[in-house]
Amino acid sequence: MDAATQLPTVGMIGAGQLARMTHQAAIALGQSLKVLAGDPAESAAAVATATVLGDYRDLADLRAFAEGCTVVTFDHEHVPQDALHALAADGVDVQPRPEALLYAQDKQAMRTRLTELGLPQPRWAPVASLADVEAFGLPCVLKAATGGYDGKGVWMVDTPADAEPVLASGIRLIAEERMGLQRELAIQIARSPRGETAAYPVVETVQTGGICTEVIAPAPDLDDATAAEAKRIAETVATALGVCGMLAVELFQTAGGLFVNELAMRAHNSGHWTIEGAETSQFEQHLRAVLDYPLGSTATVAPCTVMANVLGGAPGGPRLDERLQHLLAEDPGAHVHLYGKAVRPGRKIGHVTVRGDDPGLLRRRALRAAHWLQEGE
Amino acid sequence: MDAATQLPTVGMIGAGQLARMTHQAAIALGQSLKVLAGDPAESAAAVATATVLGDYRDLADLRAFAEGCTVVTFDHEHVPQDALHALAADGVDVQPRPEALLYAQDKQAMRTRLTELGLPQPRWAPVASLADVEAFGLPCVLKAATGGYDGKGVWMVDTPADAEPVLASGIRLIAEERMGLQRELAIQIARSPRGETAAYPVVETVQTGGICTEVIAPAPDLDDATAAEAKRIAETVATALGVCGMLAVELFQTAGGLFVNELAMRAHNSGHWTIEGAETSQFEQHLRAVLDYPLGSTATVAPCTVMANVLGGAPGGPRLDERLQHLLAEDPGAHVHLYGKAVRPGRKIGHVTVRGDDPGLLRRRALRAAHWLQEGE
C-alpha cells in the first residue's frame, strides 16, 4: 500500500510485453507496476519507473523484489516452484499460488489433473524412451513437460528417427495424439481469491509456425453449445485448480468436440484484443483479480475485433518509424501496440487491433497492418 | 530517435495527469514519454521512467531536458514565451510553436486575434482601472490575462467594490460580458505541422465552481447547424493560429448562437472521454500530431460516453482503495482513471468514464461513481 496514494503496489515478475501492457492498466488504477527485469532494456522496464533488476530464478532477488509489494504476480511461468513456495512461506501474497501455477508450468502435471477432472483432452502419456513412444503410437506430438513457449519445446514426430534426438536431449517429455483440427479456439477467464469468475467470449486463434499470429473475437460462427462447453471447461479449470488472475485455455475444435491444448495463468496473446474490444482489458482484469478487487465487465465493445501480431521482419527496408507512419496513414482506425523491443526476425514486436462488423474485412485490415509494420510496404 | 527501437522520443514539459495519460498512449506507440517534473511524486513522474527534474521557468533546465527529444510539447501552458523562443532558436522542435501557444497563454492576445478573425466571442476589453471597468459596464467578468486555470484567475464582479481588490492586485486583466448561457460546449481538434486536422464530436461540459466535473459526448440534442458552426470555429482557430497538437475550444451555447470562451493547446479535461469513447484517444492524437504522424480516427465507439471528474473529498472516511473497490463492485462497466495524486479536498484526483446508449442513465452512473470515489458510500 502506497502511503501517499492509498493504493496497492503490484509486483510482476518478468518485464516483457505483458508486463508493459499491465503497466498501462496499472496507471489507470492509480498505481505504478513494479517489475522484476533481467535487463533495463526489457519491454516493461523501459516504461515503468519501479523496475528492480534481478534474476527470477534467484530466491534472494525474488525476496528483495517482493519487499513492499501488496501482491506478486507474473508475466511468464518460469519461476521455479521451490522459490515460489519459499516466497509464500515468507508471507508474500503470490498470485496465482504456486500450487495452481504448477499446472501452467508442467504439462505432465496439467494433463494428469485434467484427466482426474474428466475434461476433454488429446490422448496423452509420459514418455522417456523410444519404446514408450512406439507403445504410444506414431505419428504423435512430443512436448517438453516444462519450459516451452511459442512453438518451442514441441516436436511433430512421424518416425522413430524423428523421436530419437528429442529423447536423447534428456528433457522430460509427454506424447500427445495429433488431432484432426477444424480450428483452434481460446477462452480467457479471470478468477479472484474470493472465487469470483468472469469469462470473456470464446475467440478463434490462428497459429503460424507455432506462434499465434491472429485472433478473431468472438470466434466466427461458433454455435451456442460449443461456446457453453468452452465456458464450462474454463470455469472447471479455474475453480478446480484454484487459479487466481487471468487463465487462458487454448482449445482444439474438432469434429468430435473441444479438447484442451494448453493452459496459461497470466495475460495471454489470445487476449490482447480485449484492450479495445472488451469493456475491461485482460491486463486490468488480471490486476483486479490478483488484488481481489471486484472483476470488470467482459462485454464486447464491437460486433467483431481482430488482433494480428507483428513479427520482426528481415533486416533492411524502411525504419520501424516510417513503416508505422505508412500504416497510420492507410488505416486511421488501426490500434497499434509496439513493445519497444529491438527488431529481430520472427520476434513478436507488437500487435495491431481493429474493430468493426465484418470479420473478413477486419482480418484483411489487421493482417495488412501487421505486414506493413513487419516488412514495410 | 531511439537507436534500439527506431522510434522517436517525445518530451513533455509538465508531469500532471495529462502527461500521465500521454505516457500510457506513448507506450502503445512503442515509446516512453520523457517528462519534465518539478517533483518525483508528480502524477506522470511516478509512472514514467524518463523523468527529468527541473523548473519549467528555467531556460537551462529546459535546454537540458530538450536534449535528445525528437519534439518537445506540453501538459500545461505556463512555460514563459522567452524560454520557448530560445528553445526554438536552438533548433528544438517545440510543438505547438511559441507563436501559436501564446494564444493559449494570454487571454488578451487570444481575444484580440479572435476579433481579427471575426469569430464569435463575448464582448470584451482590456481593463486596468475602475474607470475602465465602469466604462465596460457592470456586472461583468474579470479575467487574469495569464496564469488562470480551473476557475482560478476568474472573478464575477457585480459592483465597483467587487472589482477594486482584483484591480489592486496589479494583475493584467480583461473584462468580458456575462452571457446568458443555455449550456457550455467544447470541441477538440488535432492539427499536425503538415496541416492535417481531425475534429472530435462536440461535447457538453458541466462546470461546478469553475471546475469541469462532467462531459457528455456527443453533446445531447445538438442540432446539425450548431455542430457544424462549432467545427468551423475550431478549424478556423487551429489553422489561423497555426496550432500543432490538440486544441480544445470551450464554447458558450446561447440563444444567440455559439461564443468562444477559452482555448487550450494540449490534451484537455473535455477530451478524457476519448480514451474509451473514440477510436483514437486525445493523448495518442496529440502525440501523433506533434510528431507529424498521420492522425487517427475520431469516430465514436458508443452512441454516448460520459466522463465525470473525481475530486478529492473531505479528510476521513474510507481509504481510496476501499472506495475504489465499492465502485468496481457496483458498476463493472465503469472505467476508472486515478492520477496517483495525494488526496486533497477539491483537487482533481481522477475521472470515471461509462459508455452506452442513454445519456441520462450514463450521467447518473458516472456521477454516482465519481461521488463514491470522492466521499465513500
Side-chain angles (χ1 to χ4, degrees):
Chain A
M1 194 64 55
D2 183 283
T5 62
Q6 306 178 28
L7 291 167
T9 300
V10 177
M12 184 166 277
I13 296 173
Q17 63 262 31
L18 302 179
R20 183 179 173 103
M21 292 184 270
T22 306
H23 180 52
Q24 291 174 290
I27 291 171
L29 293 176
Q31 309 169 22
S32 186
L33 191 70
K34 183 174 169 183
V35 297
L36 180 66
D39 184 304
E42 284 174 22
S43 196
V47 299
T49 39
T51 295
V52 174
L53 294 179
D55 183 341
Y56 62 81
R57 294 159 300 195
D58 183 287
L59 182 56
D61 284 0
L62 291 169
R63 281 184 161 140
F65 175 73
E67 196 73 37
C69 290
T70 310
V71 58
V72 169
T73 187
F74 310 93
D75 107 327
H76 61 67
E77 45 275 294
H78 305 317
V79 182
Q81 275 283 319
D82 54 357
L84 294 173
H85 280 283
L87 284 182
D90 289 348
V92 175
D93 186 11
V94 176
Q95 296 294 355
R97 307 285 300 164
E99 298 82 355
L101 192 63
L102 173 69
Y103 301 108
Q105 294 180 313
D106 185 325
K107 293 187 206 306
Q108 184 175 349
M110 182 270 280
R111 287 292 181 216
T112 302
R113 189 78 183 93
L114 265 54
T115 302
E116 291 167 7
L117 292 169
L119 291 171
Q121 50 181 347
R123 188 172 65 81
W124 73 281
V127 289
S129 66
L130 192 56
D132 289 345
V133 174
E134 290 184 316
F136 182 79
L138 285 167
C140 72
V141 186
L142 294 181
K143 291 186 176 177
T146 61
Y149 70 98
D150 278 356
K152 293 180 179 63
V154 176
W155 299 270
M156 295 294 159
V157 174
D158 291 317
T159 64
D162 292 342
E164 273 168 358
V166 183
L167 289 158
S169 68
I171 295 169
R172 184 158 56 89
L173 296 168
I174 64 170
E176 293 182 4
E177 69 175 308
R178 278 202 234 165
M179 307 204 75
L181 307 189
Q182 293 169 332
R183 59 177 171 175
E184 294 193 47
L185 302 174
I187 181 165
Q188 287 200 300
I189 190 167
R191 184 171 179 276
S192 61
R194 71 181 74 172
E196 186 185 0
T197 61
Y200 287 86
V202 179
V203 300
E204 179 175 345
T205 65
V206 179
Q207 321 286 325
T208 309
I211 297 180
C212 172
T213 50
E214 204 185 342
V215 173
I216 307 113
D221 305 318
L222 188 71
D223 64 274
D224 288 350
T226 306
E229 168 67 356
K231 191 172 174 193
R232 182 191 73 84
I233 292 169
E235 284 179 343
T236 303
V237 171
T239 305
L241 274 52
V243 174
C244 172
M246 289 301 306
L247 167 72
V249 182
E250 296 182 76
L251 297 161
F252 294 138
Q253 186 174 23
T254 76
L258 297 178
F259 295 85
V260 175
N261 178 23
E262 305 273 1
L263 302 183
M265 292 183 199
R266 51 171 168 77
H268 189 257
N269 201 160
S270 65
H272 292 351
W273 69 275
T274 58
I275 298 173
E276 290 87 11
E279 282 290 343
T280 309
S281 81
Q282 65 167 346
F283 301 103
E284 178 172 327
Q285 196 77 298
H286 186 78
L287 289 170
R288 289 194 190 201
V290 300
L291 286 164
D292 210 9
Y293 277 12
L295 300 179
S297 166
T298 57
T300 55
V301 169
C304 183
T305 302
V306 176
M307 184 238 44
N309 276 327
V310 180
L311 306 182
R319 284 200 328 251
L320 182 57
D321 182 51
E322 293 175 31
R323 295 173 185 177
L324 174 60
Q325 293 185 53
H326 285 296
L327 163 61
L328 298 178
E330 188 68 26
D331 192 339
H335 297 273
V336 173
H337 297 264
L338 293 173
Y339 304 154
K341 290 173 162 182
V343 176
R344 284 203 302 262
R347 189 184 203 196
K348 283 181 193 166
I349 61 164
H351 74 266
V352 180
T353 303
V354 290
R355 297 183 276 216
D357 296 308
D358 177 351
L361 177 62
L362 291 169
R363 290 185 67 179
R364 285 194 295 279
R365 275 176 64 192
L367 288 175
R368 195 171 51 185
H371 180 76
W372 276 335
L373 284 176
Q374 186 168 340
E375 300 182 303
E377 286 176 287
Chain B
M1 193 65 55
D2 183 283
T5 62
Q6 306 176 28
L7 292 168
T9 300
V10 176
M12 185 166 275
I13 296 174
Q17 63 261 30
L18 302 179
R20 182 179 173 102
M21 292 184 271
T22 306
H23 180 51
Q24 291 174 289
I27 291 171
L29 292 176
Q31 308 169 20
S32 185
L33 191 70
K34 183 173 168 184
V35 298
L36 180 66
D39 185 304
E42 283 174 21
S43 196
V47 298
T49 39
T51 295
V52 174
L53 294 179
D55 184 341
Y56 61 82
R57 295 160 299 196
D58 183 287
L59 182 57
D61 285 0
L62 292 169
R63 282 185 161 140
F65 175 73
E67 196 73 36
C69 291
T70 311
V71 57
V72 169
T73 187
F74 310 93
D75 107 326
H76 60 67
E77 45 275 293
H78 304 317
V79 182
Q81 275 283 318
D82 54 356
L84 294 174
H85 280 283
L87 285 181
D90 289 348
V92 175
D93 187 12
V94 176
Q95 296 294 355
R97 307 284 301 164
E99 297 81 357
L101 193 62
L102 172 69
Y103 301 107
Q105 294 180 314
D106 185 325
K107 292 188 207 304
Q108 183 175 348
M110 182 270 281
R111 288 291 182 217
T112 302
R113 188 80 182 93
L114 266 53
T115 302
E116 291 166 5
L117 291 169
L119 291 171
Q121 49 181 347
R123 188 172 64 82
W124 73 280
V127 290
S129 67
L130 193 56
D132 290 345
V133 173
E134 290 182 316
F136 183 79
L138 284 166
C140 72
V141 186
L142 293 181
K143 291 186 177 178
T146 62
Y149 70 99
D150 278 357
K152 294 180 179 64
V154 176
W155 299 269
M156 295 294 160
V157 174
D158 291 317
T159 64
D162 292 341
E164 274 167 358
V166 183
L167 290 159
S169 68
I171 296 169
R172 183 158 56 90
L173 296 168
I174 64 170
E176 294 181 4
E177 70 174 308
R178 279 202 232 166
M179 306 204 76
L181 306 190
Q182 294 169 331
R183 58 178 171 174
E184 294 193 48
L185 302 174
I187 181 166
Q188 286 200 302
I189 190 167
R191 185 171 178 277
S192 61
R194 69 180 77 171
E196 186 184 0
T197 60
Y200 288 87
V202 180
V203 301
E204 179 175 346
T205 64
V206 180
Q207 322 286 326
T208 310
I211 296 181
C212 173
T213 50
E214 204 185 341
V215 173
I216 305 112
D221 305 317
L222 187 70
D223 64 273
D224 289 349
T226 306
E229 168 68 355
K231 191 172 175 194
R232 183 191 72 85
I233 293 169
E235 283 179 344
T236 303
V237 172
T239 304
L241 274 53
V243 174
C244 173
M246 290 300 306
L247 167 71
V249 182
E250 296 183 75
L251 297 161
F252 294 138
Q253 187 174 22
T254 75
L258 296 178
F259 294 85
V260 176
N261 179 22
E262 305 272 0
L263 303 183
M265 292 183 200
R266 50 171 168 77
H268 189 257
N269 201 160
S270 64
H272 291 351
W273 69 275
T274 58
I275 298 174
E276 290 87 10
E279 282 289 343
T280 309
S281 81
Q282 65 168 346
F283 301 103
E284 178 173 327
Q285 196 77 299
H286 186 78
L287 289 171
R288 289 194 190 201
V290 299
L291 286 164
D292 209 10
Y293 278 11
L295 301 178
S297 166
T298 57
T300 55
V301 169
C304 183
T305 302
V306 176
M307 184 236 46
N309 276 328
V310 180
L311 305 182
R319 282 200 328 249
L320 181 56
D321 182 51
E322 292 176 32
R323 295 172 185 178
L324 174 60
Q325 293 186 55
H326 284 297
L327 162 60
L328 297 178
E330 188 68 26
D331 192 338
H335 297 272
V336 173
H337 296 265
L338 293 173
Y339 303 154
K341 291 173 161 180
V343 176
R344 285 203 301 263
R347 189 185 203 196
K348 283 181 193 167
I349 61 163
H351 74 266
V352 181
T353 302
V354 290
R355 295 183 278 217
D357 296 308
D358 176 351
L361 177 63
L362 292 170
R363 290 185 67 178
R364 285 194 294 281
R365 276 176 64 192
L367 288 174
R368 195 171 52 185
H371 180 76
W372 276 335
L373 284 176
Q374 186 168 342
E375 301 183 304
E377 287 176 290

